[in-house]
Amino acid sequence: MSNDQRISQPLIAPSILSADFARLADELAAINGASGNRADWVHVDVMDGHFVPNLTLGLPVVESLLKATDIPMDCHLMIDDPARWAVGYAEAGSHNVTVHAEAAADPVALARDLRAAGARAGLSVKPDTPFEQYTDVLKHYDTLLVMSVEPGFGGQSFMPEVLDKVRAARHAVDTGHLNLVVEIDGGINNDTVEQAAEAGVDCFVAGSAVYGAQDPARAVSALREQAAPGFAHARQ
Ligand code: DX5
Ligand code: ZN
């Protein structure tokens, strides 16, 4: 994709993993408030019980979610053999489809297929996976999802040691070597969002911090406001 991925304000992507699965349409409406209280993306965690020990939801549920909201959908596939499944999420109308670097046999081909199906292509790295190993592969991608917890469950504690990867990715984008939205996932809340912003994150996934709040839409705008100074500082 040739368009510039640089964005002008922090993006907030609530994760519906922390929502009430019996009321998903209402939970999407709860992050679709007026102006600043609206989520930028909605993050959907697909887990297969193999790549990660947990099991969540799959394409039929995502197809229903796409009909229930106009917020761009950000599908995070924590699954083995993503080449078999990921393109379906793109064809269904997802805005961004992220696969794990550790699971993808041919990540360059997969990025090409995701883009051809109309989605942005995302690559995710677990906390122990070095980002540098994928620098060439990431030339074919639109988003990099840095995991700041071990994938599998919501509500875990943020791992600040992954911020070195965020800084390296921010540098690669700002020097023109990569053209990516830098996204972080896991343990983002009002105690951790500022340090992630200072390191250069563009898009902040937040599950329990949004859906555990009294007013999820207000929690979205509060996280965005809290991230804004660090976001600006990281790009000076
Ligand atoms: C974890 C998922 C995350 C999770 C984040 O494997 O990828 O998206 O929902 O939840 P919090 O924000 O509660 O850490
Ligand atoms: Zn996720």
Side-chain angles (χ1 to χ4, degrees):
M1 204 174 278
S2 59
N3 56 318
D4 196 331
Q5 306 284 354
R6 268 172 295 190
I7 50 162
S8 56
Q9 65 160 357
L11 302 177
I12 306 298
S15 166
I16 59 159
L17 184 61
S18 299
D20 179 349
F21 273 33
R23 301 172 42 253
L24 285 176
D26 294 341
E27 296 282 60
L28 291 173
I31 54 167
N32 203 357
S35 61
N37 285 354
R38 186 175 194 269
D40 298 287
W41 295 356
V42 56
H43 185 85
V44 180
D45 288 307
V46 175
M47 305 187 191
D48 67 352
H50 293 275
F51 180 73
V52 288
N54 200 0
L55 183 66
T56 56
L57 53 82
L59 184 56
V61 176
V62 168
E63 286 171 336
S64 293
L65 294 172
L66 282 160
K67 289 184 201 142
T69 188
D70 56 359
I71 302 174
M73 204 149 293
D74 177 35
C75 292
H76 176 195
L77 306 188
M78 286 161 274
I79 62 173
D80 281 340
D81 196 11
R84 182 170 173 191
W85 306 106
V87 171
Y89 291 82
E91 289 170 342
S94 302
H95 176 70
N96 181 75
V97 178
T98 289
V99 298
H100 265 269
E102 305 85 359
D106 186 347
V108 172
L110 192 42
R112 185 196 59 223
D113 293 346
L114 289 170
R115 286 171 164 183
R120 293 182 179 205
L123 193 72
S124 183
V125 285
K126 297 203 282 186
D128 290 340
T129 302
F131 143 83
E132 285 74 13
Q133 196 176 320
Y134 294 97
T135 315
D136 286 336
V137 166
L138 282 166
K139 294 193 170 117
H140 303 267
Y141 277 83
D142 305 295
T143 60
L144 167 67
L145 180 64
V146 176
M147 290 306 302
S148 41
V149 296
E150 287 299 336
F153 300 93
Q156 302 182 74
S157 296
F158 182 72
M159 299 169 68
E161 57 269 33
V162 307
L163 292 178
D164 283 342
K165 272 189 271 192
V166 171
R167 289 183 196 99
R170 176 87 264 135
H171 182 72
V173 172
D174 290 347
T175 54
H177 291 92
L178 291 174
N179 184 19
L180 294 167
V181 168
V182 181
E183 189 176 4
I184 197 158
D185 185 8
I188 292 294
N189 54 40
N190 57 13
D191 292 327
T192 58
V193 69
E194 287 170 7
Q195 51 184 301
E198 284 284 350
V201 169
D202 295 304
C203 181
F204 303 78
V205 176
S208 42
V210 170
Y211 281 109
Q214 280 281 346
D215 181 346
R218 175 69 202 133
V220 167
S221 63
L223 284 170
R224 194 186 289 112
E225 282 163 26
Q226 212 181 342
F231 179 93
H233 193 230
R235 286 158 186 74
Q236 275 172 3

